[in-house]
Amino acid sequence: MSSVAHTETAAWIVALRVARRKARLRLIAIMLGLVVTGVGLTLVTGPSMTTPSELLRILAGYDVPGASFSVRELRLPRAVLSIIAGMSFGLGGVIFQTLLRNPLASPDIIGISAGASAAAVFAIVVLGWDGSAVSILAVIAGMAVALLIYLLAWRDGVAGARLILVGIGLSAMLDSMIAYVLSRAPAWTMQDALRWLTGSVNGATLAEALPVLLSLTIFGGLLLARRDNLEAMRLGDDTAAALGVPLAREKLLAVMAAVGLIAVATAVSGPIAFVAFLSGPIAKRITGPGRSPLIAAALVGALLVLLGDYTGQHLLAGRYPVGVVTGALGAPYLIFLIIRSHRSGREA
Amino acid sequence: MTTLNVEALEAGYGSRTILTDLDLAVPSGAITAIVGANACGKSTLLRCLARLLRPTAGQVVLDGRSVRHIPTRDLARRLGLLPQSPIAPDGMTVADLVSYGRHPHQGMLSRWTQHDDRAVAAALEATRTADIADREVDQLSGGQRQRVWIAMALAQETDILLLDEPTTFLDIAHQVEILDLLVDLNQSRGTTIVMVLHDLNLAARYADHLVAIRCGRLHTAGSPESVLTERTVKEVFGVSCRVIPDPTSGKPMMLPLGRHRAGAGLSTEDTTS
Ligand SMILES: Nc1ncnc2c1ncn2[C@@H]1O[C@H](COP(=O)(O)OP(=O)(O)OP(=O)(O)O)[C@@H](O)[C@H]1O
Ligand SMILES: [Mg+2]
C-alpha cells in the first residue's frame, strides 16, 4: 500500500467529488434564483400590481406614491420573514431527520414546534410579553419538549417508533392547549388561532424578523461549522464514536442548535406547518446521494414558505395564511410515510 | 510498537454485568481472534477496547495509558473499529463512506489532502471495491457492503484494527479474501488486528493468537494449538468435536459432532473423554 500507487483510483474519486460539488453548486444557484423570483413576485403583487421599474425605484429609496408603503412596510418584511423563517425550519428539520435517521422525526411532527408555539401563545396572551422575551421562552419550551420526549422514549434508544408516537401525542396535547389559551384570550381572532396552530407571516415587520435572522446566523453557522461530525453521526453511534466523534457533546450541540432555529422562528411566524418536515426529503431528492443537504434544505424551506404564502395570498380563492397551504402539501406526504413504514415493517 | 492490555475488566449494560474480571494482553503486531458462543460478550469486549462502553471496573490500557484519558480523536487515529452491524445511511456512495475513515485525521487545522485521497483509494483497491466507488451503499449486496465497511476501517490507517465479525455475509471466497487481506495488512504495516470470528477453523488458520470467551469470562488464550482443543470447544460451546491437524497448514482443525450424521461408530461419548 505505497503512496505512489493507487493514483488512478484516487484521481477517479477526486473527479467524482468535484463533479458532485459542481452539480450541487449549480442546484443551489438555481434555488437562489427561484428565491429571488419568489421575493420579486411577493414585492410586486398586491391589489394593484407594482411594475418592476417602480419596484427598483422603491428599493433604491425613491418614493413612489401609492406603492412605497405597501412594498416597504408590508411586502418586504413579509418576504424577508418568509425566507429566514423558512430557512430556519428547513435547516432545523433536516438536522433532526439526519440525527435521528428518520424522516418522521422532524421537530414539527414530534411536538417541538408545538411546544415552542404553546409557549409563545402563553407569553403573548397571558403574560402580555413581546419581542425577544417571547423567543427565549419559546426556545426554552422547545428544549423542554425535546428533553421530555427523550426521557419518555428513553427505553427505545432514541430513533424508534416510540419517540415518534410520544412526540405526536405531545404535539396534539400542546395544540389543544394553544386552542384553549386562545379561546380564553379577550379578543382572539381566527387569524391568531391559525397563526399559532399552523403558522403565518401576516403582518410581519422587520423588527420581528431580526431575532430570527440572529438565530439563523448563530445556530445555522454553528451547525455548518460542525458539519463533519454531524455527517459521521449518520453512520450510527458506534461507528461515529470509533471515528473520533465526541458523541454526547456533538449530539447535544446539534439538537440545541436545531431546537433554537425552530423555536425562534416559531415564536414569530407560528409553527408553519410541515416546512421542517418536508424540506429535508425534498432537498435530498433534488441533490441525490452525498452529504446531507443542509444548505439545500434551508433553501427549500425558504421556497416553501415564500411560494406557499404567495399561493395562499394571491392564487387561491380567498386568503389563507401560509401554514394552511404548506399543511395541505405536507399531510399527504406524512400519510404516505406512515403507510410505507407500516407496510415495510420498519420502525416508523 | 503499540500495546493494548485489558486489566480486570468488568462491564455491562445498565445493571447487567456482561464481562467479569477479564485480563487480556493483545499481542502487538499480531492477529488475534476472539471466539465464543453467541451473547458471551465478544462484541461488548471490543466496544470496551474502543472505548464505546465505559467499564464498571478495571481498565483498558493503550501504550501504558488508560484509554479513558486519551482524547477521542487521538484514540481514533490509533485504534479503529468495525462494529458488528454498522448502519449504512441512505444516499451515500461507496467513496463517501470510505472517506469517513479519514475523519479522525481531519481537524480545524488539517484539511483534506492528497494523502487522504490516496488512503481512500488504497482502501478501495485492497478490498476490491474501487470499481463500485460511485454506487450507493444501500443498494449493494451484503457482501459488497461488508467489504466497503472494511475499506472504511482500512482508510482510517490505525495501528490497531478491531473487527467484529468481518466475514459474516461473505461467501467462502470472499471470507478467505478478507482474511488474506488482513494478513497482508498485518505483514506490510504491522497492524495489530483483533477480530471476532465464528468460524473456528478459519480463526485457527489465520490468527496467531486465539482468545476464547465463555459467559463474559476469559476461558483460554494462547496459540491456536493450545486453544482449539476438543476440551475447550466442549466447555466454551457445549459441542463435542474432533480436532485434527489441517492437512495443508498443520493448524488445528475441528470437526463438530452433532447428534446426527456424525458417522458410524462415533458417538459423542467417544470424543469427550
Ligand atoms: N446495547 C445493549 N444493551 C443491553 N444489553 C446488551 C446490549 N448489547 C448487548 N447486550 C447484551 O449483552 C450480552 C453480550 O452481548 P454481545 O453483543 O457482547 O455478545 P456477542 O458475544 O458479541 O454475541 P454474538 O456472537 O451474537 O454477536 C447479551 O446478552 C446481549 O443481550
Ligand atoms: Mg457480537
Side-chain angles (χ1 to χ4, degrees):
Chain A
M1 302 198 180
S2 75
S3 53
V4 205
H6 321 299
T7 38
E8 244 174 68
T9 310
W12 188 42
I13 52 179
V14 172
L16 285 175
R17 196 168 60 231
V18 170
R20 184 154 76 202
R21 189 174 303 153
K22 270 191 191 153
R24 285 218 166 175
L25 281 177
R26 198 176 311 128
L27 271 171
I28 284 175
I30 293 172
M31 282 195 269
L32 279 174
L34 287 174
V35 169
V36 171
T37 314
V39 171
L41 277 175
T42 306
L43 291 183
V44 299
T45 315
S48 66
M49 298 291 281
T50 310
T51 64
S53 65
E54 279 174 338
L55 179 64
L56 286 180
R57 279 173 53 210
I58 293 168
L59 292 179
Y62 294 99
D63 251 340
V64 176
S68 290
F69 177 79
S70 320
V71 171
R72 279 203 206 119
E73 304 296 321
L74 302 179
R75 297 178 204 160
L76 184 65
R78 187 172 198 122
V80 169
L81 181 62
S82 295
I83 292 174
I84 54 184
M87 287 178 78
S88 301
F89 288 125
L91 186 54
V94 78
I95 296 289
F96 263 81
Q97 289 164 328
T98 305
L99 220 50
L100 299 179
R101 286 178 220 105
N102 190 331
L104 281 170
S106 138
D108 43 356
I109 306 285
I110 61 174
I112 288 161
S113 305
S117 189
V121 171
F122 185 78
I124 294 167
V125 173
V126 179
L127 306 177
W129 294 5
D130 59 9
S132 46
V134 177
S135 293
I136 291 168
L137 191 71
V139 173
I140 294 172
M143 301 274 176
V145 173
L147 190 70
L148 193 63
I149 296 174
Y150 187 66
L151 293 178
L152 289 176
W154 176 264
R155 268 185 291 168
D156 231 11
V158 179
R162 184 194 295 268
L163 175 119
I164 313 283
L165 287 179
V166 167
I168 291 176
L170 245 119
S171 194
M173 260 168 54
L174 289 162
D175 278 348
S176 54
M177 261 172 60
I178 295 171
Y180 176 75
V181 170
L182 285 171
S183 73
R184 307 285 299 201
W188 76 290
T189 62
M190 199 60 202
Q191 278 294 336
D192 291 331
L194 281 177
R195 162 174 294 214
W196 296 114
L197 288 170
T198 74
S200 148
V201 289
N202 286 349
T205 65
L206 286 178
E208 263 180 358
L210 191 64
V212 190
L213 182 63
L214 275 179
S215 106
L216 183 62
T217 316
I218 295 170
F219 296 128
L222 182 82
L223 287 167
L224 288 180
R226 316 206 70 80
R227 173 157 206 184
D228 284 346
N229 281 329
L230 197 74
E231 282 296 309
M233 285 192 274
R234 287 172 72 192
L235 304 178
D237 285 0
D238 277 3
T239 313
L243 288 174
V245 177
L247 278 183
R249 187 187 77 194
E250 291 300 316
K251 273 190 184 168
L252 188 70
L253 272 175
V255 167
M256 295 223 302
V259 170
L261 283 172
I262 297 285
V264 174
T266 303
V268 175
S269 66
I272 302 179
F274 294 140
V275 173
F277 171 55
L278 286 172
S279 302
I282 294 177
K284 204 168 206 174
R285 181 55 63 90
I286 302 176
T287 53
R291 302 207 294 180
S292 17
L294 301 191
I295 295 173
L299 289 176
V300 169
L303 279 172
L304 280 173
V305 178
L306 259 180
L307 302 181
D309 186 47
Y310 191 83
T311 308
Q313 293 301 302
H314 306 299
L315 303 183
L316 299 178
R319 294 188 152 205
Y320 300 94
V322 54
V324 172
V325 179
T326 54
L329 268 179
Y333 180 60
L334 177 61
I335 293 167
F336 164 76
L337 270 190
I338 290 175
I339 291 176
R340 194 189 64 174
S341 63
H342 194 69
R343 275 226 187 108
S344 64
R346 240 185 28 187
E347 283 206 322
Chain B
M1 192 119 265
T2 41
T3 61
L4 182 64
N5 292 296
V6 176
E7 296 169 0
L9 187 74
E10 183 185 296
Y13 302 94
S15 58
R16 236 176 102 212
T17 301
I18 306 292
L19 301 176
T20 10
D21 196 26
L22 203 143
D23 287 283
L24 187 67
V26 174
S28 305
I31 300 182
T32 300
I34 301 177
V35 299
N38 286 139
C40 71
K42 303 179 297 294
S43 299
T44 307
L45 174 60
L46 283 200
R47 299 184 74 234
C48 288
L49 291 178
R51 208 186 60 181
L52 305 185
L53 188 67
R54 181 194 283 251
T56 43
Q59 57 178 355
V60 174
V61 182
L62 177 66
D63 285 340
R65 202 164 158 213
S66 169
V67 290
R68 202 164 1 129
H69 301 128
I70 302 177
T72 318
R73 202 174 276 260
D74 264 9
L75 185 66
R77 280 196 283 256
R78 292 153 67 183
L79 186 149
L81 167 78
L82 177 64
Q84 184 168 359
S85 33
I87 298 169
D90 51 344
M92 200 180 265
T93 64
V94 170
D96 292 331
L97 189 79
V98 177
S99 302
Y100 283 109
R102 302 307 297 163
H103 183 83
H105 301 274
Q106 314 287 296
M108 290 290 176
L109 302 174
S110 48
R111 304 281 307 276
W112 188 271
T113 63
Q114 277 193 344
H115 176 76
D116 294 311
D117 279 321
R118 276 201 294 264
V120 172
L124 287 168
E125 282 175 9
T127 51
R128 295 178 197 266
T129 47
D131 53 329
I132 52 168
D134 58 346
R135 298 263 306 273
E136 281 185 48
V137 178
D138 52 353
Q139 292 165 6
L140 301 178
S141 78
Q144 286 176 318
R145 204 178 296 167
Q146 188 71 8
R147 283 185 286 147
V148 172
W149 282 109
I150 291 174
M152 187 192 85
L154 293 188
Q156 207 171 331
E157 290 186 325
T158 53
D159 292 335
I160 302 177
L161 189 53
L162 313 177
L163 305 114
D164 201 343
E165 302 191 20
T167 53
T168 28
F169 300 120
L170 300 184
D171 63 41
I172 184 67
H174 283 116
Q175 286 186 34
V176 169
E177 187 179 314
I178 290 295
L179 292 171
D180 280 337
L181 164 72
L182 294 176
V183 174
D184 286 342
L185 189 70
N186 168 257
Q187 288 176 350
S188 64
R189 290 199 215 158
T191 308
T192 302
I193 291 175
V194 181
M195 59 186 170
V196 173
L197 279 189
H198 275 302
D199 187 316
L200 297 179
N201 294 333
L202 286 179
R205 167 103 61 96
Y206 280 94
D208 307 302
H209 190 76
L210 279 191
V211 174
I213 308 263
R214 183 176 170 274
C215 297
R217 288 173 186 275
L218 182 73
H219 184 279
T220 330
S223 67
E225 290 77 13
S226 65
V227 175
L228 189 55
T229 59
E230 291 174 4
R231 181 153 159 233
T232 307
V233 173
K234 180 76 190 172
E235 285 170 5
V236 170
F237 293 95
V239 170
S240 306
C241 70
R242 291 291 301 271
V243 172
I244 55 170
D246 177 337
T248 46
S249 67
K251 300 275 184 178
M253 193 171 95
M254 81 93 184
L255 304 167
L257 302 172
R259 285 185 297 109
H260 299 295
R261 308 201 178 232
L266 253 185
S267 76
T268 41
E269 282 73 31
D270 294 336
T271 55
T272 49
S273 51

